[in-house]
Amino acid sequence: MATIFEVTPEHIERLSDADLRILVGYLAEQEALKRQLPISGITFGGHQNAGDGGIDVDFDLNGAEIEWFIPRPLTGHQVKAQV
């Protein structure tokens, strides 16, 4: 199968904290859609350095059974790019 573009590790390394958070949020939404889960339970955005306890991408999937990179229906991820 041909791909439109290829994402390399170098592309990911060049992302800022904010861009990386958005990418993780979009990937989470796509995984939820693939598993027919509501994307309304996935939130991300806002100010990267907000005083929210370090949560950058939040998952609230209403107790849905999940078998993917999100370990539990209620999960928060902290996303930080390393310099």
Side-chain angles (χ1 to χ4, degrees):
M1 178 199 304
T3 59
I4 296 174
F5 63 92
E6 180 179 340
V7 177
T8 66
E10 291 77 23
H11 291 123
I12 302 298
E13 287 175 1
R14 289 194 295 258
L15 294 175
S16 68
D17 281 349
D19 291 337
L20 184 58
R21 177 189 58 203
I22 291 168
L23 174 61
V24 170
Y26 286 157
L27 291 172
E29 286 182 343
Q30 290 305 305
E31 286 294 319
L33 287 171
K34 188 165 82 173
R35 289 166 170 76
Q36 299 180 336
L37 296 170
I39 63 169
S40 61
I42 299 171
T43 56
F44 57 98
H47 192 275
Q48 185 70 16
N49 296 321
D52 57 5
I55 300 300
D56 297 315
V57 182
D58 189 44
F59 305 86
D60 183 352
L61 300 173
N62 292 325
E65 284 193 36
I66 50 179
E67 297 177 12
W68 47 320
F69 72 93
I70 300 172
R72 290 176 207 80
L74 293 172
T75 302
H77 281 280
Q78 183 177 40
V79 180
K80 299 292 178 217
Q82 298 295 317
V83 180

